[in-house]
Amino acid sequence: MKKILYATSEAVPFIKTGGLADVAGALPKCFDKRYFDVRVVLPKYECIAQKWKDQMKYITNFYMEMGAQSCYVGIFYMEFQGIKFYFIDNEYYFSGPTPYSSAPWDLEKFAFFSRAVLSILPVIGFRPDIIHCHDWQTGLVPVYLNDKFQGGEFFRGIKTIMTIHNLKFQGVWDVPTIKSITGLSDYYFVPDKLEAYKDANFLKGGLVFADAITTVSNTYAEEIKTPFYGEGLDGLMCARAHDLRGIVNGIDYDIFNPETDPDIPFNYNATTFRKEKVKNKVALQKELGLEQDPKCMMIGIVSRLTDQKGFDLIAYVMDELCQDNVQIVVLGTGEERYENMFRHFDWKYNNKVSANIYYSEPMSHKIYAACDAFLMPSLFEPCGLSQLMSLRYGTVPIVRETGGLKDTVEPYNEYECTGTGFSFRNYNAHEMLNVIRNAERIYYDRKREWNKIVDRGMARDFSWNNSAAQYEELYNWLIG
Ligand code: ADP
Ligand code: GLC
């Protein structure tokens, strides 16, 4: 039996701010249980919903040395859908209304978490063959493993994988502060280890010390070796190119299934969507106070509102777009300037634009089900899950050709009758608008063709099956 431990700062259904939670919640379930024992460890945040906290069982606690401090580490446990989850408890670090706040507090919090991930292993009696780390929050796990923990017999030979979900976030602060927070020696604070551009960098530490590196699509794996997408670490990505591979994300086909989804008013599948899907649109128009017109093309956006997602392009041509016969439904939270931009257009084009500036899982499902098209013009996109959810719900993605968007959306070819969505290449607002207008033309003038695009999209398999097999292969190769 191969033992794998996922170390992550979020996982569905317990805590989610973005796609990382979807991945860390769904992927562990997808391995063959005869050969793999995959468990997950995450922080026991105060903001985890009470119904989950009530189901966790307290196991034990101990004190852990961390720099000059001795820190409390509580361990809670719960099994969910056949997966063993461990929660690290420390009310000092994991209180507050959200999992993340700001540096350097977050760095201290996740340095503690990373060290605790290793410290609990002898206590819970689980010696993983591989610790699979996700994003900068767990970047110090491979570093600590290389440091003190390698001294003990228990830890010797444990391998690590660092998966990059988003290279933009690296966990960076000045060296003296990080040295005292982490308790790591001078040895680590040099440019070929944790140091990057004079600061200490958690993700870099993980990328240097991990045995293997993955990211969430092939195209992003290539892109991050270039200065534009490399976020200052392209040199390191090139240097470790042999240990870096892209494995595209999937989505949880049980949760995202238009045929059984309890959050949408009218269920449908790949055969019934022609009649049934539109009923979801009318229901949503009613709910959101948009003009009730089953024929009007509805374009959806469900997203963190950050510059990664291409909202500058949308802001630039929104007035022009709103002259067309379309409705635009937005669900998202994030940077104030984008929240206000969408509020403004909601006010200006009240019966055409609906800005929903909040977070709601059920509302996101309603939008995936109701819309005709889904807009995701990202500046960069490691993988992107929203376009996969859209494809699954028969909603045609309109995307920029970057990262996972390029790998998962095949552009429509009118002459060959192929493709599952619409895409454009350059980060240019009018290029985007032209592609949206091309989609409008197909939608209004060639509805049968449009429905065939939907057919092809719904027929694609973006469940975890293929990608989990690739992770299995990587685990087998690493363990040998
Ligand atoms: P990222 O991880 O960069 O935010 P992804 O496309 O990988 O982007 O994943 C985003 C996930 O978060 C999807 O599951 C999407 O439906 C969800 N999501 C984003 N914003 C909201 C929101 N306001 N309400 C509900 N779900 C949201
Ligand atoms: C990150 C990326 C997103 C990806 C997700 C899960 O949040 O921004 O593209 O889908 O992680 O891997």
Side-chain angles (χ1 to χ4, degrees), residues 10 12 16-23 135 165-166 169 216 249 251 256 301-306 308-309 330-334 356-365 367-368 374 376 378 380-389 405:
E10 42 184 286
V12 161
K16 167 167 166 178
T17 71
L20 168 60
D22 290 305
V23 174
D135 274 355
H165 294 265
N166 195 333
F169 304 111
V216 287
N249 286 332
I251 52 172
F256 295 95
I301 295 171
V302 177
S303 183
R304 290 183 295 120
L305 302 180
T306 70
Q308 171 189 340
K309 303 291 178 178
V330 181
L331 174 66
T333 59
N356 303 279
I357 309 301
Y358 54 83
Y359 187 95
S360 160
E361 209 67 46
M363 181 50 85
S364 73
H365 287 230
I367 293 175
Y368 292 124
F374 188 86
M376 203 166 168
S378 305
F380 68 93
E381 197 60 74
C383 179
L385 300 174
S386 295
Q387 84 280 12
L388 304 182
M389 295 161 186
L405 297 174

Side-chain angles (χ1 to χ4, degrees), residues 40-161:
V40 184
V41 55
L42 65 159
K44 183 173 179 284
Y45 301 107
E46 191 193 345
C47 58
I48 290 178
Q50 193 60 42
K51 76 164 180 185
W52 300 120
K53 285 196 273 191
D54 289 344
Q55 296 175 49
M56 297 174 190
K57 278 210 301 274
Y58 167 78
I59 296 187
T60 184
N61 79 77
F62 60 92
Y63 281 79
M64 174 182 84
E65 302 309 313
M66 178 93 191
Q69 292 177 309
S70 180
C71 302
Y72 173 90
V73 181
I75 309 175
F76 283 71
Y77 169 83
M78 149 172 196
E79 195 165 319
F80 182 74
Q81 296 183 339
I83 299 295
K84 297 180 167 68
F85 286 87
Y86 298 92
F87 299 85
I88 291 180
D89 181 35
N90 179 307
E91 289 179 4
Y92 173 67
Y93 285 122
F94 301 133
S95 60
T98 52
Y100 315 124
S101 52
S102 57
W105 174 242
D106 280 353
L107 282 89
E108 185 174 340
K109 184 192 298 183
F110 290 108
F112 164 79
F113 175 64
S114 297
R115 200 172 170 89
V117 164
L118 296 169
S119 299
I120 66 163
L121 297 178
V123 180
I124 60 174
F126 183 67
R127 185 203 171 274
D129 299 296
I130 296 176
I131 305 179
H132 190 157
C133 306
H134 299 268
D135 274 355
W136 76 266
Q137 292 88 343
T138 53
L140 288 190
V141 172
V143 181
Y144 279 133
L145 186 63
N146 175 77
D147 194 47
K148 298 231 167 39
F149 290 94
Q150 280 298 25
E153 190 55 40
F154 182 89
F155 291 94
R156 198 160 299 139
I158 295 180
K159 300 275 202 260
T160 51
I161 300 173

Side-chain angles (χ1 to χ4, degrees), residues 1 15 114 124 145 174 193 312-313 338 355 364 413 453 473:
M1 184 68 91
I15 186 84
S114 297
I124 60 174
L145 186 63
D174 69 70
K193 301 198 178 66
D312 295 326
L313 301 187
Y338 298 129
S364 73
N413 182 319
I453 301 174
E473 197 185 294

